[in-house]
Amino acid sequence: MLRRLATLLAVAAAELSREFTLPKAVDLSTAKNALVKGDMHRLLSYKSIKTSRESGRVHVNEFRHPIGGATVERCEVLRSGPNQFQMVVTAASREAPFGETFTTRVVVTLRRDANNCVVMGATSSVQWNSAKRPPRILERQIRSAAEKGSVNAYGALAKWLETGGAPVSRTRFRLLRRAVLGVAVGAGALLLRPKAAE
């Protein structure tokens, strides 16, 4: 029982959540269509999007992420109604530093608040799917960069919806790119450092 509770607390501590309230001019249907159609990918200039459908509720996007390289993203609709929409997105970027060892999972929720505005929520977490992990300091940096990157991407989509599709400043993505490149350089330096004389 205690072990299960510790696992649940560890998972809860290792995720990042943000909410973005959209103006009343943006209805739930518009926000939902932007999510499902992949407007975020076009907004962020991801390359060569190929979409395939597994079922009525699941589709898969393949694209080139500017930082993570070739990325496969699986989107599954969990809930779809007049007042709430929820989708879980899992993404794997094999070319990212240690990318073969983890996937990023984002739960995106659209709901109406008390003022009848649409609130977009994004909860991002990293799931390690391999016993081979990077050193702990890099593991924390990779997790932080992946979670922040995912949440910031949905924040950019919320901002884009808020402005009615007007161009969005790329400043936050330049900062994010620097952070992730810092992780990559740090990982490379750690792996290539000379071994101490024995």
Side-chain angles (χ1 to χ4, degrees):
M1 179 67 177
L2 288 174
R3 185 178 294 160
R4 182 181 162 94
L5 180 61
T7 302
L8 289 173
L9 289 173
V11 169
E15 62 183 29
L16 182 64
S17 292
R18 295 243 173 89
E19 286 195 339
F20 311 94
T21 302
L22 304 176
K24 285 193 176 179
V26 180
D27 63 13
L28 195 130
S29 178
T30 301
K32 173 182 149 182
N33 286 339
L35 277 173
V36 174
K37 288 187 339 190
D39 284 345
M40 184 177 79
H41 299 93
R42 282 178 278 286
L43 170 67
L44 301 177
S45 303
Y46 295 171
K47 303 294 182 208
S48 64
I49 299 173
K50 176 186 166 193
T51 300
S52 57
R53 190 156 287 284
E54 287 185 6
S55 70
R57 298 179 78 82
V58 178
H59 68 277
V60 177
N61 297 318
E62 295 178 42
F63 57 89
R64 286 202 69 78
H65 189 281
I67 299 167
T71 301
V72 177
E73 177 184 79
R74 184 177 186 271
C75 307
E76 180 178 0
V77 175
L78 302 178
R79 197 172 289 124
S80 184
N83 295 310
Q84 189 178 40
F85 176 81
Q86 190 173 59
M87 183 169 74
V88 64
V89 180
T90 54
S93 300
R94 303 294 181 208
E95 295 171 19
F98 297 96
E100 72 282 358
T101 66
F102 70 92
T103 56
T104 306
R105 181 178 189 270
V106 185
V107 178
V108 190
T109 305
L110 299 171
R111 62 175 175 79
R112 294 186 198 282
D113 68 6
N115 298 318
N116 206 30
C117 289
V118 175
V119 177
M120 178 188 290
T123 300
S124 178
S125 60
V126 167
Q127 299 177 329
W128 299 97
N129 50 26
S130 169
K132 176 190 162 197
R133 287 196 188 184
R136 187 166 296 276
I137 189 167
L138 287 177
E139 182 181 320
R140 283 196 299 266
Q141 289 177 335
I142 289 167
R143 188 182 69 225
S144 175
E147 289 171 356
K148 285 179 186 171
S150 299
V151 168
N152 285 345
Y154 286 97
L157 178 63
K159 186 72 174 170
W160 181 77
L161 286 166
E162 183 181 320
T163 59
V168 176
S169 168
R170 300 263 192 249
T171 304
R172 73 175 83 178
F173 300 108
R174 282 197 294 272
L175 293 173
L176 174 65
R177 179 172 287 162
R178 284 187 202 138
V180 174
L181 288 176
V183 169
V185 170
L190 190 65
L191 294 172
L192 298 175
R193 71 180 178 197
K195 292 185 179 178
E198 299 192 19

